[in-house]
Amino acid sequence: MLPNHFHFVARAPEDAMTLTRLIQGVNSITARRINAEDKTPGRQVWFRYWDTCLTNRESYFARLNYVHQNPVRHGMVVSAEDYPWCSMSWFMERAPGEMQRTVSSFKIDSVKVM
């Protein structure tokens, strides 16, 4: 999660509408929380949503690495593990070493994200 957008990677459910409802719920909860902190009730926080179905393993690993490195790409931190609203530190603590090496081996400079 960054100040102006977030990325979310998940396994697609059988019923795609459940993912839409999940993201709508995340948007609603986070918008209310952000607005409460900023004392701006009712302000629209999130403006767009789209999803992409990743159909192969390489695309999944590249996108996961892209999402983990997003705070670094946007200049928020030098190391993604240092950004408190990023899953990278969780991933590094819990994912097996081989998974960590696999994901981090995928280049992110050519990942196309709208």
Side-chain angles (χ1 to χ4, degrees):
M1 176 144 325
L2 293 167
N4 63 347
H5 73 281
F6 68 91
H7 296 275
F8 178 78
V9 179
R11 180 181 295 256
E14 289 293 321
D15 176 4
M17 288 308 296
T18 61
L19 180 58
T20 299
R21 286 192 299 272
L22 172 69
I23 297 300
Q24 288 171 342
V26 168
N27 284 350
S28 177
I29 290 166
T30 57
R32 282 195 300 270
R33 175 83 184 258
I34 291 166
N35 284 340
E37 288 179 14
D38 290 349
K39 296 179 178 51
T40 55
R43 174 186 58 174
Q44 184 176 357
V45 175
W46 307 117
F47 293 88
R48 289 179 287 204
Y49 158 76
W50 61 89
D51 57 52
T52 302
C53 183
L54 306 176
T55 58
N56 63 63
R57 157 187 160 115
E58 290 76 16
S59 183
Y60 167 73
F61 289 143
R63 294 292 175 105
L64 187 55
N65 195 28
Y66 178 92
V67 168
H68 283 157
Q69 295 303 322
N70 209 30
V72 175
R73 290 176 45 88
H74 287 278
M76 305 298 285
V77 290
V78 173
S79 171
E81 292 177 70
D82 295 333
Y83 193 67
W85 300 280
C86 179
S87 58
M88 182 61 135
S89 61
W90 179 91
F91 182 75
M92 296 305 288
E93 290 171 8
R94 292 174 178 81
E98 183 59 31
M99 179 67 161
Q100 293 174 20
R101 287 186 291 280
T102 298
V103 170
S104 66
S105 73
F106 279 81
K107 300 211 180 293
I108 60 173
D109 56 345
S110 62
V111 172
K112 303 283 188 252
V113 177
M114 294 177 66

